């Protein structure tokens, strides 16, 4: 081997660049942010690691829209994409827009607007003084560069810039630290009938490939390889085969930077209007998880109790949700903006992110012109610009060839307590949610309904009480557990035809974590002692035990029962822990996971989720730790290493380089501090 004659030298004084507005990332949000800022008169420098703009839509293989609200600068881009599409695909022969058409159009719009695009480069470190970012270190093929600017737009998808500047953020869901599943998409050609002839049609393949820490380089590489390897199958035909593998991994979720306002599921469910509205968002609670015992209590209630997973939800986008709470000159124009994990499942679609991209670009340019902080940008002027571009247009129902649009979403807004009470007990109804949210007006009526002769009404009422942490719910919930009450009637959805419907008894086990007292331990023990329990029944019981132990001072006999539950849960091997990641929670044999037939075999070993819940419960009860926890600290999956580090009290594993080498952001680890 030749001797290394040119050691790597990091220059003491890297070349400096200046701009009015720096946009980190020219993906879904950043591309339009840069164009909007430049058109508004700012000198814009855009930094992008990929060789093209467009992010997930252009490089992640997700070339169609799923809800979100149309309007604004994105319409101009989409119209231009329509015009160049015939160069890439005959009309009617591709799902949504062509990803290469988007690359071309965005590149052209960036160039026309005068944005200085530096591709092949990446923001790796940020210098902040107090609440202001002053400069950023960028790696480029020509070596490191330092950029100075008065205004910064974080469109990295992961919130790299804001986190590096010291903004706090949440990181993964509360129960087990997992992010929304990632995808490694492809284009697939299938035969389609068009005007009486069979023609090739390109559709996107978007399946859940597993879980990854989006900020860990080695974990990202592991995940990407696993995603790609799913395509090594021999079941293709000429009329049904992948054509290309998307160059970028599909990360649905990453950090959520703490912003001046954090959008919530309640905002969306109740169609909230904001005085600082910069547009609208709308979709449904599109969470791909099935194991809701690991989600927040409200999420569990929304899906398992109210059965509202697919219900349309919508609200205004407040300007504050794109301003990091800790920083004065940074705007978030990506999925890392100010949404809670629950709200993220709806407010994350490409149209949403393109909308906040446009807003961030306009606002940053205004801030530079006025010399003011992000929060002091004159809202009237910002709104005027957004009205002019069409971003604030009132929704109108339209057909859209690039995918569905949530214009015309209707949600219940009237506070009709009597009407909601009358709806209680239906298979699926938002009334249950509204009653939960209006305790001051319906507490007595709901409490009375726990004694209703209708088991469904009484169960729904008990779940609402449980959300209020009212112990009057407990008896009804315990009864559901002991009787193995499933609650299904007639032809309604059951676990074997919906992976988000579960029986009452399992819902009850989870709701007891809100309101249970030591009285429920007997029912939990009875269930825990059954042999052959599937993973999610065990994890639900362990999570409830932990909550009880953390909330209550247990008498010695209750503590002994709780310890017996934990031991019983680990007595025999966990069924269904290894398998498709969208496993059915009850291991229903007929359940078909989502995904094209040749990628249906994506599998993960989820035993760690069980061991994590047991470890947390043991810690809460003061029981000794299981030795298996140590092994998880060297797990190849970064998330698993990280969550077990919090259990065992150690530092997160330092085996892997993080994407952001100098990250100084402090994650709020919900795992360390609370049950879901
Ligand atoms: C698998 C999948 C399926 C989806 N399905 C749909 C769908 O059907 N319809 C729909 O409307 N939405 C869908 N979404 C949601 C939507 O596509 C994303 O939420 C949205 O595109 C995210 O946009 P973004 O700008 O935050 O991220 P991205 O588009 O990923 O852009 C981030 C950009 O930042 C760059 N970058 C990263 N780090 C740095 C750094 N340190 N410095 C500089 N640049 C950096 C990246 O290279 C990238 O170009 C899906 C998402 C995924 C992942």
């Amino acid at each position: 081997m030749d001797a290394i004659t040119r050691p790597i030298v990091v220059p003491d004084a890297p070349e400096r660049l200046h701009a009015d507005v720096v946009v980190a990332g020219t993906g879904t949000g950043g591309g339009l942010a840069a164009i909007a800022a430049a058109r508004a008169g700012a000198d814009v420098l855009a930094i992008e690691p990929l060789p093209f703009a467009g992010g997930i839509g252009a490089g992640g293989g997700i070339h169609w829209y799923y809800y979100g609200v149309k309007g604004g600068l994105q319409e101009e881009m989409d119209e231009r994409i329509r015009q160049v599409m015939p160069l890439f695909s005959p009309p009617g022969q591709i799902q949504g827009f062509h990803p290469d058409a988007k690359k071309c159009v965005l590149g052209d719009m960036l160039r026309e607007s005068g944005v200085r695009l530096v591709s092949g480069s990446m923001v790796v470190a940020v210098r902040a003084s107090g609440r202001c970012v002053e400069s950023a270190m960028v790696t480029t093929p020509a070596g490191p560069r330092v950029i100075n600017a008065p205004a910064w737009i974080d469109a990295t998808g992961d919130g790299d810039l804001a986190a590096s500047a010291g903004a706090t953020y949440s990181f993964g869901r509360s129960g087990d630290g997992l992010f929304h599943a990632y995808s490694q998409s492809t284009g697939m050609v299938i035969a389609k009938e068009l005007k009486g002839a069979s023609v090739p049609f390109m559709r996107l393949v978007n399946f859940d490939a597993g879980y990854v820490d989006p900020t860990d380089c080695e974990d990202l590489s592991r995940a990407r390889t696993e995603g790609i390897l799913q395509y090594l199958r021999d079941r293709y035909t000429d009329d049904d085969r992948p054509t290309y593998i998307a160059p970028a991994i599909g990360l649905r979720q990453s950090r959520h930077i703490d912003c001046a306002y954090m959008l919530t599921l309640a905002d969306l469910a109740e169609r909230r209007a904001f005085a600082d509205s910069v547009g609208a968002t709308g979709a449904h609670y599109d969470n791909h998880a099935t194991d809701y015992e690991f989600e927040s209590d409200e999420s569990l209630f929304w899906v398992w109790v109210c059965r509202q997973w697919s219900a349309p939800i919508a609200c205004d986008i407040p300007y504050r949700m794109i301003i990091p709470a800790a920083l004065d000159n940074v705007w978030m124009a990506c999925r890392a903006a100010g949404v809670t994990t629950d709200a993220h499942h709806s407010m994350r679609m490409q149209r949403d992110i393109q909308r906040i991209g446009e807003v961030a670009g306009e606002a940053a340019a205004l801030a530079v012109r006025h010399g003011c902080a992000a929060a002091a940008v004159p809202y009237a002027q910002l709104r005027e610009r957004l009205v002019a571009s069409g971003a604030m247009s009132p929704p109108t129902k339209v057909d859209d060839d690039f995918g569905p649009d949530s214009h015309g979403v209707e949600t219940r807004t009237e506070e009709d307590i009597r009407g909601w009470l009358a709806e209680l007990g239906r298979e699926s109804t938002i009334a249950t949610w509204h009653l939960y949210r209006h305790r001051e007006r319906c507490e007595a009526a709901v409490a009375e309904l726990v004694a209703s002769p209708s088991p469904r009404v009484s169960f729904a009422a008990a779940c609402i009480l449980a959300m209020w942490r009212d112990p009057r719910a407990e008896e009804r919930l315990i009864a559901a557990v002991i009787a193995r009450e499933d609650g299904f009637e007639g032809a309604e959805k059951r676990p074997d035809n919906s992976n988000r419907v579960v029986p009452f008894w399992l819902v009850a086990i989870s709701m007891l974590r809100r309101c249970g007292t030591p009285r429920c331990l007997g029912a939990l023990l009875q269930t825990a002692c059954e042999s052959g329990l599937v993973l999610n029944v065990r994890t639900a019981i362990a999570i409830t035990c932990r909550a009880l132990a953390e909330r209550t001072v247990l008498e010695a006999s209750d503590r002994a029962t709780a310890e017996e539950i934990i031991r019983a849960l680990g007595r025999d091997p966990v069924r269904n822990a290894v398998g498709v990641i969208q496993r059915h929670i009850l291991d229903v044999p007929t359940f078909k996971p989502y995904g094209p037939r040749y990628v249906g075999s994506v599998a993960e070993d989820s035993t760690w989720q069980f061991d994590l819940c047991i470890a947390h419960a043991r810690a809460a009860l003061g029981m000794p730790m299981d030795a298996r926890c140590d092994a998880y600290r060297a797990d190849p999956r970064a998330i698993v290493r990280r969550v077990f580090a919090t259990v065992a009290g150690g530092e997160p594993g330092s085996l892997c380089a993080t994407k952001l080498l100098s990250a100084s952001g402090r994650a709020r680890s919900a795992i360390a501090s609370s049950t879901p």
Side-chain angles (χ1 to χ4, degrees):
M1 194 197 289
D2 293 341
I4 297 172
T5 53
R6 295 179 58 204
I8 296 168
V9 177
V10 178
D12 288 341
E15 190 182 319
R16 283 188 176 265
L17 302 167
H18 297 268
D20 292 337
V21 177
V22 172
V23 181
T26 57
T28 314
L32 291 190
I35 293 163
R39 286 187 181 180
D43 170 28
V44 180
L45 187 68
I47 306 299
E48 172 57 53
L50 294 173
F52 50 82
I56 300 286
I62 308 298
H63 46 86
W64 87 313
Y65 291 132
Y66 191 64
Y67 301 104
V69 175
K70 288 176 65 136
L73 186 53
Q74 55 187 319
E75 297 314 311
E76 179 190 329
M77 176 185 70
D78 286 343
E79 188 45 42
R80 288 174 67 162
I81 290 173
R82 269 182 206 102
Q83 284 165 17
V84 302
M85 283 255 295
L87 294 174
F88 297 97
S89 155
Q93 287 185 230
I94 184 168
Q95 181 181 1
F97 51 85
H98 198 290
D100 288 339
K102 183 161 190 172
K103 284 177 203 161
C104 293
V105 167
L106 253 185
D108 208 16
M109 288 173 75
L110 286 162
R111 185 182 53 79
E112 280 171 6
S113 58
V115 172
R116 288 182 286 150
L117 173 62
V118 188
S119 57
S121 61
M122 187 168 181
V123 172
V124 290
V126 171
R127 180 192 294 270
S129 168
R131 294 177 51 87
C132 285
V133 171
E134 289 181 338
S135 60
M137 168 80 81
V138 175
T139 56
T140 79
R145 297 283 183 273
V146 171
I147 309 175
N148 290 86
W152 301 80
I153 295 178
D154 185 337
T156 60
D158 300 320
D160 285 357
L161 189 144
S164 186
T168 53
Y169 51 85
S170 57
F171 201 59
R173 67 179 179 180
S174 53
D176 57 5
L178 283 185
F179 293 87
H180 210 173
Y182 77 92
S183 174
Q184 177 53 64
S185 296
T186 53
M188 181 170 92
V189 164
I190 56 171
K192 184 186 170 192
E193 284 292 305
L194 193 70
K195 294 182 185 156
S198 175
V199 297
F201 178 85
M202 189 168 113
R203 56 157 297 193
L204 58 91
V205 178
N206 170 17
F207 67 102
D208 292 347
Y211 299 103
V212 65
D213 179 338
T215 64
D216 185 305
C217 294
E218 289 188 32
D219 206 40
L220 280 166
S221 305
R222 170 196 63 78
R224 184 162 164 73
T225 303
E226 281 175 14
I228 289 171
L229 292 181
Q230 294 306 317
Y231 295 102
L232 289 183
R233 297 283 179 271
D234 57 1
R235 281 171 281 164
Y236 306 131
T237 64
D238 284 353
D239 288 344
D240 187 352
R241 61 190 157 79
T243 51
Y244 84 109
I245 291 181
I249 188 172
L251 301 171
R252 289 191 176 83
Q253 188 185 17
S254 191
R255 298 181 182 99
H256 294 302
I257 300 292
D258 291 335
C259 286
Y261 187 83
M262 299 298 285
L263 203 76
T264 64
L265 176 58
D267 294 332
L268 286 152
E270 294 153 26
R271 199 157 200 181
R272 186 145 181 218
F274 292 98
D276 61 342
S277 170
V278 287
T281 175
H284 67 100
Y285 177 80
D286 187 12
N287 181 352
H288 294 206
T290 48
D291 46 4
Y292 279 85
E293 76 275 21
F294 289 105
E295 299 282 344
S296 75
D297 293 343
E298 285 201 341
S299 165
L300 189 157
F301 185 72
W302 181 256
V303 178
W304 276 2
V305 178
C306 307
R307 301 218 182 131
Q308 291 294 293
W309 187 85
S310 53
I313 49 179
C315 70
D316 281 358
I317 300 172
Y319 172 58
R320 285 161 297 158
M321 69 158 272
I322 67 167
I323 307 174
L327 300 168
D328 280 344
N329 63 342
V330 177
W331 290 260
M332 302 304 301
C334 61
R335 60 181 178 260
V339 291
T340 60
T341 290
D342 292 350
H344 141 87
H345 292 297
S346 176
M347 165 62 206
R348 67 182 176 89
M349 304 306 169
Q350 289 181 49
R351 286 191 177 108
D352 298 327
I353 305 299
Q354 288 175 171
R355 166 68 33 74
I356 60 173
E358 178 181 354
V359 174
E362 291 284 2
L366 274 172
V368 170
R369 194 176 324 139
H370 290 281
C372 66
V377 163
Y379 173 68
Q381 288 180 34
L382 177 61
R383 189 186 154 84
E384 197 180 312
R385 299 274 308 175
L386 296 173
V387 168
S389 84
M392 304 279 294
S393 304
T396 49
K397 185 95 182 134
V398 286
D399 286 325
D400 189 5
D401 47 350
F402 287 175
D405 159 67
S406 49
H407 287 164
V409 161
E410 280 176 27
T411 50
R412 292 278 300 270
T413 50
E414 76 273 28
E415 295 178 5
D416 176 3
I417 297 288
R418 267 213 306 266
W420 291 334
L421 287 167
E423 279 187 34
L424 210 57
R426 283 199 192 160
E427 178 187 3
S428 111
T429 172
I430 199 170
T432 318
W433 173 270
H434 286 313
L435 290 169
Y436 149 61
R437 294 272 300 160
H438 288 85
R439 181 178 188 172
E440 70 294 347
R441 294 178 54 201
C442 63
E443 181 170 348
V446 170
E448 237 174 67
L449 285 175
V450 178
S452 162
S454 157
R456 293 164 60 114
V457 172
S458 71
F459 187 75
C463 289
I464 295 171
L465 287 178
M467 288 302 287
W468 297 335
R469 298 194 183 280
D470 186 326
R472 285 175 290 179
E474 189 175 24
E475 197 179 324
R476 177 67 182 89
L477 297 175
I478 291 174
V481 177
I482 290 175
R484 274 293 186 284
E485 182 181 352
D486 66 20
F488 302 123
E489 278 177 10
E492 65 188 31
K493 282 187 177 161
R494 283 159 199 266
D496 55 356
N497 59 18
S498 169
N499 57 3
R500 290 171 184 99
V501 169
V502 294
F504 282 7
W505 62 266
L506 184 52
V507 179
I509 288 173
S510 284
M511 294 309 292
L512 282 165
R513 76 191 192 200
R514 297 277 303 180
C515 66
T517 70
R519 286 182 54 214
C520 72
L521 286 169
L524 296 182
L525 179 61
Q526 184 184 314
T527 312
C529 286
E530 287 177 18
S531 64
L533 287 182
V534 298
L535 177 85
N536 300 90
V537 175
R538 299 189 202 211
T539 47
I541 294 173
I543 289 169
T544 296
C545 268
R546 173 193 173 187
L548 203 59
E550 287 178 344
R551 208 179 43 234
T552 325
V553 181
L554 295 175
E555 302 278 336
S557 61
D558 295 329
R559 178 172 299 277
T561 310
E563 290 180 5
E564 201 182 335
I565 291 171
I566 299 307
R567 280 192 290 272
L569 289 174
R571 217 165 273 153
D572 59 5
V574 186
R575 279 175 59 207
N576 86 335
V578 184
V580 291
I581 65 158
Q582 270 207 341
R583 64 180 177 267
H584 193 280
I585 193 158
L586 291 178
D587 202 14
V588 176
T590 52
F591 171 68
K592 294 266 179 299
Y594 170 79
R597 61 187 169 78
Y598 49 79
V599 291
S601 58
V602 175
E604 283 225 354
D605 183 347
S606 303
T607 312
W608 68 271
Q609 287 177 303
F610 169 71
D611 288 327
L612 178 73
C613 296
I614 293 294
H616 278 309
R618 280 178 170 271
L621 287 163
M623 296 168 76
M625 280 296 147
D626 194 309
R628 272 183 299 188
C629 289
D630 290 338
Y632 284 120
R633 286 212 233 135
D635 196 277
R637 296 162 294 183
I639 295 174
V640 178
R641 288 198 302 276
R642 182 160 46 77
V643 293
F644 276 93
T646 68
V647 175
E651 282 300 308
S654 55
L655 295 173
C656 293
T658 57
K659 179 184 173 203
L660 198 62
L661 295 171
S662 62
S664 61
R666 294 163 296 279
R668 284 184 289 108
S669 174
I671 305 152
S673 58
S674 68
T675 48

